[in-house]
Amino acid sequence: EAKDRGDGGYERYRPGMEARGAENSRRAAALRVALLEDQLVVYFQPVVTLPDGRITGAEALVRWQHPAEGLLGPGAFIEAAEQTGLIVPLGAWVLRAATREAATWPGEQSVSVNVSARQLREPGFPSLVAAALTESGLPARRLTVEITESVAVGGGATMENLRGLRDLGVRLSLDDFGTGASTLTLLATCPVHQIKLDRSFVPDGRPDAIADAVAQMARAFGLEAVAEGVETAEQAARLTRLGYEKAQGFHFARPMPAAELRARLTTTVAVP
Ligand code: C2E
Ligand code: MG
Ligand code: MG
Ligand code: MG
């Protein structure tokens, strides 16, 4: 995946890269049409509080309802979008769709939107976010922007945008924490509110040392600790003991269409 390169957009040469480049251009051309013809869909995966499992929000995850190939996950097209710059209009679309949907939710639930390093380097990105909030009526405090450690190489424009987002009152989350070039300096200089432990570090029969260290780091920096990819009750229990405040994963709920999530949120409110 493009974000896993952790270098904000460039990649060392590997055999087969030209072929993949051509494949990406083909994908991107089809994706451009998909954007125009409304083939993209946003799914939502609940984020719950530990230990009680109450839904406090959801992460917006883009899908492509491909006319021939069926429902495609981001693994099939985000890299192509990033390499061609199409991630900029695609990301703007997701942001508008996600904030519009979250504004219909019955309570104070927040929506998390993934933003790629490429989008975050765009001048005026905070204005785009501000416009999505105004159009949807969603209060800034209910939007969380998820970034990855690759933003560390984004330079001044990126940092300026991050501060711009923070000044809007939007919350920032450091996603896939532990997989990139995470440094203490980044945590100390980047105005984030939350860190999201990557699912590869969720305790799974192995020692909990990494998950524990990340939770302690979050506490030291005054940040909220969230775990993603939680698949079992045992994992949820261990994360709770380690001090994780929130979690996300198949154990609680899979990503689902907007209407399904809305129905769940409404039920939760109606039946205390
Ligand atoms: P992510 O932001 O780390 O999102 C979490 C991914 O883990 C999602 O995959 C979700 O379906 C999956 N997941 C959640 N719980 C579990 C679990 O318990 N077990 C396992 N094995 N997986 C779980 P998805 O939807 O395929 O998205 C993959 C990645 O694509 C995301 O990773 C994110 O980096 C990127 N992405 C998704 N939507 C967008 C978007 O709108 N814009 C950008 N720039 N990137 C996006
Ligand atoms: Mg994410
Ligand atoms: Mg993640
Ligand atoms: Mg991840």
Side-chain angles (χ1 to χ4, degrees):
E1 233 171 81
K3 65 171 187 181
D4 293 333
R5 296 196 306 268
D7 61 4
Y10 298 94
E11 194 175 11
R12 235 191 303 278
Y13 176 82
R14 280 199 309 271
M17 243 172 80
E18 295 91 345
R20 200 158 49 95
E23 168 62 19
N24 278 344
S25 318
R26 243 192 330 274
R27 264 286 187 234
L31 196 51
R32 205 164 276 125
V33 175
L35 254 178
L36 291 172
E37 301 198 338
D38 269 346
Q39 295 170 10
L40 297 184
V41 195
V42 181
Y43 271 43
F44 293 89
Q45 183 180 35
V47 176
V48 306
T49 51
L50 291 174
D52 53 327
R54 196 172 43 87
I55 301 178
T56 61
E59 178 173 11
L61 295 160
V62 69
R63 303 285 182 262
W64 179 0
Q65 187 63 63
H66 194 286
E69 296 172 42
L71 193 67
L72 300 178
F77 59 91
I78 285 287
E79 180 181 327
E82 284 183 344
Q83 295 198 337
T84 55
L86 199 62
I87 192 69
V88 174
L90 187 155
W93 181 86
V94 171
L95 190 64
R96 278 198 306 273
T99 49
R100 208 184 305 126
E101 179 58 30
T104 72
W105 295 344
E108 269 295 303
Q109 298 93 350
S110 62
V111 66
S112 299
V113 177
N114 293 285
V115 166
S116 78
R118 178 73 168 70
Q119 287 174 272
L120 215 53
R121 280 200 304 267
E122 288 286 299
F125 183 69
S127 318
L128 188 85
V129 172
L133 291 171
T134 307
E135 278 168 35
S136 63
L138 188 75
R141 64 172 184 280
R142 290 180 54 201
L143 174 65
T144 297
V145 165
E146 293 197 0
I147 58 177
T148 63
E149 292 149 309
S150 64
V151 302
V153 299
T158 298
M159 278 301 164
E160 196 181 311
N161 278 341
L162 288 175
R163 280 190 294 269
L165 291 177
R166 185 197 51 191
D167 294 346
L168 285 177
V170 165
R171 291 167 55 86
L172 298 172
S173 175
L174 207 43
D175 198 3
D176 301 334
F177 191 80
T179 59
S182 34
T183 63
L184 292 175
T185 316
L186 177 64
L187 277 186
T189 55
C190 190
V192 298
H193 301 82
Q194 176 186 92
I195 52 188
K196 216 178 197 186
L197 178 73
D198 190 68
R199 73 165 176 265
S200 56
F201 300 117
V202 166
D204 186 23
R206 283 174 277 112
D208 304 351
I210 308 281
D212 188 13
V214 170
Q216 291 189 40
M217 211 183 303
R219 273 193 292 277
F221 283 100
L223 308 175
E224 186 175 72
V226 186
E228 69 175 4
V230 180
E231 295 185 347
T232 67
E234 159 74 12
Q235 289 174 333
R238 291 165 87 115
L239 291 161
T240 302
R241 274 200 299 278
L242 294 175
Y244 283 82
E245 294 151 86
K246 294 180 182 173
Q248 194 181 335
F250 296 168
H251 170 61
F252 301 104
R254 289 182 178 258
M256 60 186 82
E260 225 172 280
L261 177 67
R262 214 181 308 138
R264 280 212 200 193
L265 293 175
T266 315
T267 313
T268 310
V269 169
V271 187

